[in-house]
Amino acid sequence: MLRIHFTDVDLARTRLASAPDPLFDIAASLHRFQTRRGRWAFAGWYRTTRQQLREKGLERALRSVLLPLYPRAAYYPDFLTPVGAVDGLDMGLESILATPPQRVMAEIAILDRIVGAPAWAGQLAGLEARKEFVRVLRAYYEVVVAPHEEQVRARIEAERAARCRGLLDGGVEGMLAGLGPMLRWRPPVLEVAYPRQADDRDLHLNGRGLTLVPSYFNWREPVAFADPGLPPVVWYSLLHEPEVRSVTGSAPEQPLTNVLGRARAVALRAASAGATTGEIARAAGVSASAASRHATALRDAGLISTVRNGPTVLHTLTPTGASLLRAALRKAEADLTGTVV
């Protein structure tokens, strides 16, 4: 377990990242290939991704280059997920190239000591080897992560909306209290459930604050830098719902789709975590004007409520909408298992 110790200054300087971290998404997606835990949550992604990796000729690079450097274990090198990556893939890859050779060597040595490093890993201290490695990372990202960017961004924005409600209700402490189940706020300490093989440790923020980065591809394994001297960051998992399908092949939204239509069913699902009109548009694959019309129809039916903040509106479920959504999900899972609702 990691115990992060806050002061009042740290609470004031804690923030939630505004976008996905592409380099951490690479790391977390590589971990999905190394375990069956949570496979149900990524079943569709897993099937299509393995096929795409074969078609693009990246399977060898996956096995011999990437998986050995990103073990799903107590440690992988910090320089592979630089803080600058929250500003985009290009910034993150530039940060990897700019890593001092001494730091690369030191972190590869830690990897070797803890889980074993590939024999060639020390070459990454050289700039040319790192340039080639960055090319592999970019190719992998384009095949594995980029095709899902819209879905990932929509989920991140929904998570931000949910955390903002906690912030409004209870300040930063209210936001931290809603991060579970793998992160537990026990004032003034945030307890982070680490993989079993990791040792317990304490991290004192000492006025630096904390950056929280939700990750679509992470599965119940929050991650922080091993080096306490680096800027404090915690990447944590979104709460996934199963990609269940009934025995007839229908999706979880099918009962809703039969009544509301596909776009409005997706809009209702999006509103369950709080969503702007733009987020609904991206989730449903429709224009902003069409999303606005669907939101209006759902609001007129008493299924969602809308709050305006300047040019932006936030749509959330009413109790009726929440009951309808829960009933539809129960029906879908009952179809899958053959039980009676």
Side-chain angles (χ1 to χ4, degrees):
M1 177 178 293
L2 171 66
R3 292 175 292 270
I4 304 177
H5 298 259
F6 285 74
T7 65
D8 289 344
V9 173
D10 294 312
L11 288 172
R13 292 180 176 175
T14 292
R15 70 184 188 93
L16 190 67
S18 60
D21 181 333
L23 288 189
F24 185 79
D25 282 345
I26 287 176
S29 68
L30 287 165
H31 292 165
R32 304 284 62 77
F33 291 120
Q34 299 176 56
T35 178
R36 296 192 62 85
R37 287 187 61 203
R39 180 68 58 83
W40 56 263
F42 304 93
W45 167 86
Y46 183 82
R47 287 191 300 270
T48 59
T49 295
R50 292 307 297 259
Q51 179 180 348
Q52 288 297 311
L53 286 168
R54 285 193 295 270
E55 292 177 359
K56 298 295 183 180
L58 288 171
E59 279 194 312
R60 181 177 179 182
L62 174 68
R63 291 193 303 267
S64 62
V65 177
L66 297 177
L67 293 179
L69 282 180
Y70 295 83
R72 183 178 164 269
Y75 180 83
Y76 62 86
D78 287 336
F79 79 88
L80 297 175
T81 52
V83 175
V86 296
D87 294 321
L89 179 65
D90 290 338
M91 289 292 293
L93 296 178
E94 286 296 326
S95 295
I96 289 179
L97 292 175
T99 307
Q102 298 88 342
R103 178 182 166 191
V104 174
M105 290 298 295
E107 293 185 3
I108 292 296
I110 296 173
L111 176 66
D112 190 49
R113 184 172 67 251
I114 294 178
V115 295
W120 53 265
Q123 298 175 24
L124 291 175
L127 184 58
E128 289 306 314
R130 246 177 300 153
K131 286 181 178 179
E132 179 58 32
F133 175 67
V134 160
R135 283 192 285 270
V136 173
L137 285 180
R138 188 182 292 277
Y140 175 87
Y141 180 87
E142 292 300 325
V143 171
V144 173
V145 179
H148 306 274
E149 278 182 340
E150 288 298 317
Q151 179 183 1
V152 170
R153 188 170 291 274
R155 289 295 310 278
I156 296 297
E157 290 175 349
E159 168 69 7
R160 281 174 54 82
R163 299 288 72 79
C164 282
R165 287 203 293 275
L167 182 68
L168 290 173
D169 291 340
V172 175
E173 293 193 64
M175 181 181 73
L176 294 173
L179 289 172
M182 308 306 290
L183 296 90
R184 179 175 297 180
W185 177 240
R186 297 181 182 273
V189 175
L190 181 65
E191 295 179 346
V192 182
Y194 255 32
R196 293 180 183 177
Q197 62 268 44
D199 294 330
D200 286 356
R201 64 188 181 101
D202 291 89
L203 174 62
H204 293 269
L205 298 178
N206 295 325
R208 294 175 295 171
L210 179 69
T211 298
L212 294 160
V213 185
S215 169
Y216 178 84
F217 292 101
N218 182 267
W219 176 252
R220 298 185 179 180
E221 294 173 340
V223 176
F225 286 127
D227 184 351
L230 292 172
V233 179
V234 170
W235 294 269
Y236 70 96
S237 175
L238 297 175
L239 295 179
H240 288 269
E241 293 177 349
E243 296 181 359
V244 297
R245 290 185 175 274
S246 72
V247 293
T248 60
S250 61
E253 295 92 347
Q254 193 62 48
L256 291 176
T257 301
N258 294 339
V259 176
L260 302 175
R262 190 198 69 84
R264 289 178 188 173
V266 173
L268 192 70
R269 288 285 298 273
S272 65
T276 66
T277 303
E279 291 163 4
I280 288 176
R282 285 190 287 275
V286 299
S287 67
S289 59
S292 180
R293 291 195 299 273
H294 293 314
T296 297
L298 293 173
R299 185 170 60 252
D300 290 345
L303 300 178
I304 68 171
S305 60
T306 300
V307 177
R308 178 173 294 277
N309 180 20
T312 302
V313 295
L314 180 68
H315 307 286
T316 57
L317 295 182
T318 63
T320 301
S323 296
L324 179 63
L325 181 59
R326 284 195 297 270
L329 292 174
R330 285 198 300 268
K331 176 64 167 60
E333 295 211 20
D335 287 345
L336 179 68
T337 60
T339 58
V340 178
V341 178

